[in-house]
Amino acid sequence: MTRPYYIAGNWKMHKTRSEAAELAKSLVVQLKGGKHTYLVAPGFTCLETVGAIVKGSNILLGAQNMASEEQGAHTGEVSVLQLKDLGVQAVILGHSERRHTYKEDDELINKKVKLALRHGLEVILCIGELLSEREAGQAENVCETQTVKGLAGVSVSDLERVTLAYEPVWAIGTGKTATPEDADAIHAYVRGVIAKLYGKDAAEKIIIQYGGSVKAENAAQLMAKENIDGALVGGASLKADTFVPIALFG
Ligand code: PEP
């Protein structure tokens, strides 16, 4: 089956509103007519500004995280209701920086996944192993556990609003990319995990992005692989000059 390619830019903790606006305007112009699915995920403070610019374009508005509770006494957190109020359509959950720097575990991430889906958002659920886990031969196991636990309690119909992003932690922001073959092997394995959980149809349909030092030079080779359906791009998403060639590949 042919799955649509889905290219997302995670702007992380970069950009003021005016910088974000400049980039968003440029992307709206340059990605117009682009044949893939696109998303940008600016920081919380830029969501409203960027949302107004991408509205009506072919670029979805994403957030980089959200609270696990709907609302209440959670100082410093941002709720799903607040994201929806800003027009956010999707949320990245379980990013390795959330898992490893901010110690989010699979249970917390699963709570967020279910909350986002309950409120009609799309989810990009990130999974991926550390270098030490890969070297210990544990890459598949780690990705399987993160997938199974991250999706616990998610129905097959809600799964249609979930994208997976395989991001080996050792490849994020390091300039090291998994080879297309190594990445594809994990994608195929994870697709098998989805087949076990949800059946073959759901597994064929689910989009699995690759993330980890994706740039114009390696994007096409990665996405040519059978099981790689797009990219979650960090560093190279911060400039139109580096993101657009990835987004318009093929
Ligand atoms: C990311 O943070 O999701 C990511 C893949 O970053 P980079 O492209 O910079 O490796």
Side-chain angles (χ1 to χ4, degrees):
M1 98 163 257
T2 48
R3 290 175 290 270
Y5 285 106
Y6 184 4
I7 322 284
N10 172 11
W11 296 357
K12 305 195 185 186
M13 200 173 71
H14 294 287
K15 301 202 180 287
T16 61
R17 283 177 301 161
S18 63
E19 291 165 348
E22 193 186 333
L23 176 56
K25 281 181 197 160
S26 177
L27 294 179
V28 166
V29 172
Q30 296 191 63
L31 297 186
K32 190 170 179 204
K35 56 188 175 180
H36 311 309
T37 303
Y38 304 117
L39 173 138
V40 291
F44 291 130
T45 60
C46 299
L47 281 169
E48 188 167 17
T49 304
V50 172
I53 294 166
V54 300
K55 196 171 181 178
S57 77
N58 59 345
I59 304 174
L60 298 167
L61 182 66
Q64 299 171 18
N65 186 27
M66 67 171 223
S68 61
E69 300 294 331
E70 201 167 83
Q71 58 187 323
H74 298 284
T75 303
E77 292 286 302
V78 176
S79 92
V80 63
L81 302 176
Q82 293 167 328
L83 295 182
K84 284 187 66 181
D85 187 41
L86 293 177
V88 166
Q89 293 150 294
V91 59
I92 298 170
L93 295 172
H95 190 279
S96 69
E97 287 148 19
R98 300 303 318 171
R99 290 179 188 269
H100 299 292
T101 312
Y102 297 100
K103 309 293 174 215
E104 293 194 8
D105 62 16
D106 287 314
E107 284 67 31
L108 183 77
I109 293 161
N110 174 248
K111 223 174 149 185
K112 295 182 180 194
V113 168
K114 287 188 292 190
L115 184 62
L117 292 172
R118 185 153 19 99
H119 283 275
L121 291 184
E122 292 184 20
V123 167
I124 296 178
L125 172 62
C126 303
I127 58 170
E129 80 285 358
L130 297 164
L131 183 59
S132 55
E133 292 166 333
R134 171 157 284 258
E135 287 172 347
Q138 290 301 311
E140 290 179 347
N141 275 351
V142 169
C143 292
E144 176 161 7
T145 301
Q146 291 176 348
T147 303
V148 171
K149 291 190 169 177
L151 294 176
V154 171
S155 68
V156 69
S157 61
D158 279 351
L159 189 73
E160 291 183 7
R161 283 182 288 119
V162 176
T163 295
L164 294 173
Y166 169 56
E167 300 205 308
V169 182
W170 47 271
I172 297 181
T174 58
K176 287 184 200 150
T177 322
T179 64
E181 291 68 30
D182 285 346
D184 192 54
I186 296 286
H187 284 228
Y189 184 83
V190 170
R191 205 176 291 289
V193 172
I194 296 294
K196 269 192 275 169
L197 293 173
Y198 292 98
K200 208 164 169 274
D201 273 10
E204 280 295 306
K205 270 196 222 154
I206 196 159
I207 292 175
I208 310 179
Q209 298 171 326
Y210 171 78
S213 300
V214 174
K215 16 187 195 305
E217 297 74 42
N218 57 25
Q221 282 161 297
L222 285 160
M223 288 189 271
K225 289 288 172 193
E226 171 70 27
N227 287 289
I228 302 182
D229 311 316
L232 179 53
V233 186
S237 73
L238 295 175
K239 287 187 188 153
D241 284 359
T242 46
F243 188 64
V244 169
I246 300 171
L248 295 181
F249 94 100

